[in-house]
Amino acid sequence: MGDLLIRNIDVVDGTGEPRYRGDVVVRDGRIAGVAPPRSVATADRVVDGENLALAPGFIDMHAHSDLHLLTEPEHLPKLSQGVTTEVIGQDGLSYAPIDDAALAVLRRQIAGWNGNPADLDMSWRSVGEYLERLDEGITPNAAYLVPQGTLRLLVVGAEQRPATPWEIARMRELLAQGLAEGAVGMSSGLTYTPGMYADTAELAALCDVVAEAGGFYAPHTRSYGAGALQAYAEMIGLARTTGCALHLTHATMNFGVNRGRAPELLAMIDAALAEGCDISLDTYPYLPGATTLSALLPSWAMSGGPDAALARLADPEQRSLIASDVDVHGSDGCHGVTVEWETIQISGVTDPALAGHVGRTVAEIGAAEDVAPVEIFFDLLRRDQLATTILQHVGHEDNVRAIMRHPRHMGGSDALLVGARPHPRAWGTFPRYLGHYVRELGVLGLEECVNHLTGRPAQRLRLRDRGLIRPGYAADLVIFDPATISDTATFDDPKQQARGIEHVLVNGEFALDGGVPTGARAGRALRMAGRETR
């Protein structure tokens, strides 16, 4: 690999400091030098930076690419956004550590997140083995969180009950092993089974292990709707009592009950920061969320796993109880609020016979068929074996803007890459920040926003040589046009490559060159600082 010279470009170095014009040399996968313009005479390849900007590669703090990295190695949705590192193992459910029985359950439970590819060799069982599989060749880098729900599935099972002291001790052992093998922390999905069955004391016992290892805890809290502030308070309380670094993932305040209440959340965070707690958060720059249709079920209905849930859906008496929770009382799976079917839009199905429902809301389908929406809900869940994905149109613009301005904020796409019409954040999150919220609205300045997407996440991940443009740092780099960068993905047509991103380098190799993927597989698993890396 010869020298690369990026000449006469605006360097936005990831620190938040003002941009400057310079020449940047890349050699052997690293930034070899940063110099004044036109001070470097020769190189094997020269990229003219006139009217362009150079930033560190964007770090997606909340990604669901756990299998996509292996099944779709070009990884164009993220690569074309300038993402050079993703944090996976999110929301408490992923594929390591695992055994045969738990894997069979997980493949079905989160098929709506990651698909369920029949031909993928999933012979790894430990976190270390999974990271080694990633090291065999992926497009961006990836860091991994040990999923707390998977730990519970392995040790306790899918039932709704407290963990015994022995089971908690065993989960602590597995967590410590995963962290020792290179995971950067632990995630939870506290509106997803079986992780949501853990009480605060159980979570604290696990956070103690994370704190001792120097990692961080990334919880999807128990509610983003009714009870959202109480749910955030529980997580902040864990940071106080265990000393564990806390990263509030997709930190939103959704549904009508939380309109305009983002300042209350931010005040809670600021108070804890003032006390010395280590807290950060990420968001995506859109109003709707995305998840599986089955996530709206009350937690008791999912107890025992997918087969038990499907059996309940086939039982008229159980269906009546579920309908009461989702339509009258408020399902804990729907964040404690009753489901507003006009906000639930189908984004993907696995049964081709259901493809006509994609893009329509449950309310629209019900009206067209003259059937109550909850019956459409039941029918889709059963026919699609719980794998249907949805968009949930429940966000508020004032909350989104307030939270993204916070000094501990970072970018995270929370992108599901499967389905016919996935959320456009799968293709547009990072250019949307820089185009819509920086250039068009001025919510953040360019340098400040790049810091949110690069330097800050690298600090949270303890990546000592990434996230900034400095000599000696890994050459994860994005070259873009600040005047044109924008998301083109829409809710009607979401699989659209962003504008204005010209080149992306991962570990010094062009992964995107002139807007075209090169097929390079220079990414690798990034292990916790102090652990061996490849």
Side-chain angles (χ1 to χ4, degrees), residues 58 80-82 430-436 438-440 446 453 478-488 498-502:
F58 305 138
S80 63
Q81 295 185 57
F430 295 87
R432 182 171 176 81
Y433 268 118
L434 294 168
H436 185 60
V438 170
R439 186 181 62 248
E440 296 175 3
L446 177 64
L453 307 181
V478 180
I479 298 173
F480 65 95
D481 184 346
T484 63
I485 188 170
S486 59
D487 59 311
T488 64
R499 292 193 188 98
I501 296 181
E502 303 295 328

Side-chain angles (χ1 to χ4, degrees), residues 28 59 112 137 169 207 218 257 270 295 364 435 531:
D28 297 329
I59 299 175
C207 284
V257 295
D270 288 340
E364 288 171 342
R531 312 295 183 192

Side-chain angles (χ1 to χ4, degrees), residues 224 250-255 283-291 335 342-347 361 390-400 412-416 421-426 429 432 437 487 489-492:
Y224 296 94
H250 46 56
T252 57
M253 294 285 288
N254 289 335
F255 303 93
T283 67
Y284 47 82
Y286 296 87
L287 301 188
T291 188
H335 308 276
E342 68 275 11
T343 71
I344 308 301
Q345 183 181 19
I346 307 304
S347 60
T361 69
I390 61 170
L391 303 181
Q392 202 165 5
H393 295 266
V394 292
H396 305 290
E397 181 68 22
D398 54 348
N399 286 346
V400 169
S413 70
D414 192 15
L416 305 181
R421 286 176 58 170
H423 196 301
R425 65 194 183 191
T429 292
R432 182 171 176 81
Y437 283 98
D487 59 311
T490 66
F491 289 99
D492 289 334

Side-chain angles (χ1 to χ4, degrees), residues 48-247:
D48 182 6
E50 188 70 29
N51 298 320
L52 298 175
L54 177 70
F58 305 138
I59 299 175
D60 188 342
M61 285 297 293
H62 190 99
H64 287 284
S65 305
D66 307 47
L67 299 185
H68 197 270
L69 287 164
L70 301 173
T71 60
E72 302 289 341
E74 188 174 83
H75 210 46
L76 187 60
K78 295 300 186 65
L79 172 63
S80 63
Q81 295 185 57
V83 171
T84 60
T85 294
E86 296 186 289
V87 185
I88 56 178
Q90 298 284 357
D91 291 337
L93 292 168
S94 189
Y95 305 94
I98 204 69
D99 63 16
D100 291 350
L103 179 60
V105 173
L106 279 171
R107 288 181 69 133
R108 295 178 62 196
Q109 182 174 344
I110 53 176
W113 293 3
N114 298 306
N116 188 9
D119 56 350
L120 176 64
D121 175 12
M122 298 177 68
S123 57
W124 66 80
R125 289 298 176 262
S126 69
V127 169
E129 289 169 348
Y130 176 65
L131 298 182
E132 288 170 0
R133 178 68 65 85
L134 298 180
D135 281 332
E136 293 175 7
I138 52 178
T139 297
N141 305 302
Y144 188 72
L145 296 165
V146 178
Q148 170 259 330
T150 299
L151 293 178
R152 206 172 204 276
L153 182 63
L154 270 170
V155 176
V156 183
E159 293 75 28
Q160 183 174 8
R161 65 171 178 82
T164 67
W166 181 89
E167 288 167 339
I168 291 174
R170 179 59 180 149
M171 286 188 283
R172 284 167 54 92
E173 290 174 2
L174 290 170
L175 174 58
Q177 179 182 342
L179 293 165
E181 291 171 351
V184 297
M186 179 181 76
S187 75
S188 284
L190 299 176
T191 64
Y192 300 122
T193 61
M196 69 190 298
Y197 300 146
D199 61 18
T200 306
E202 180 179 323
L203 296 174
L206 297 174
C207 284
D208 283 337
V209 176
V210 178
E212 184 176 350
F216 65 92
Y217 178 39
H220 165 126
T221 70
R222 297 192 195 274
S223 176
Y224 296 94
L229 291 176
Q230 294 92 322
Y232 283 118
E234 179 191 13
M235 299 300 103
I236 293 171
L238 285 170
R240 287 192 176 103
T241 57
T242 68
C244 186
L246 176 67
H247 182 78

Side-chain angles (χ1 to χ4, degrees), residues 233-301:
E234 179 191 13
M235 299 300 103
I236 293 171
L238 285 170
R240 287 192 176 103
T241 57
T242 68
C244 186
L246 176 67
H247 182 78
L248 296 169
T249 194
H250 46 56
T252 57
M253 294 285 288
N254 289 335
F255 303 93
V257 295
N258 288 316
R259 184 182 297 275
R261 299 190 71 185
E264 297 176 59
L265 167 61
L266 300 178
M268 289 171 54
I269 293 171
D270 288 340
L273 289 169
E275 296 170 17
C277 294
D278 182 0
I279 301 175
S280 55
L281 62 151
D282 69 63
T283 67
Y284 47 82
Y286 296 87
L287 301 188
T291 188
T292 56
L293 187 64
S294 63
L296 304 181
L297 287 166
S299 58
W300 63 263

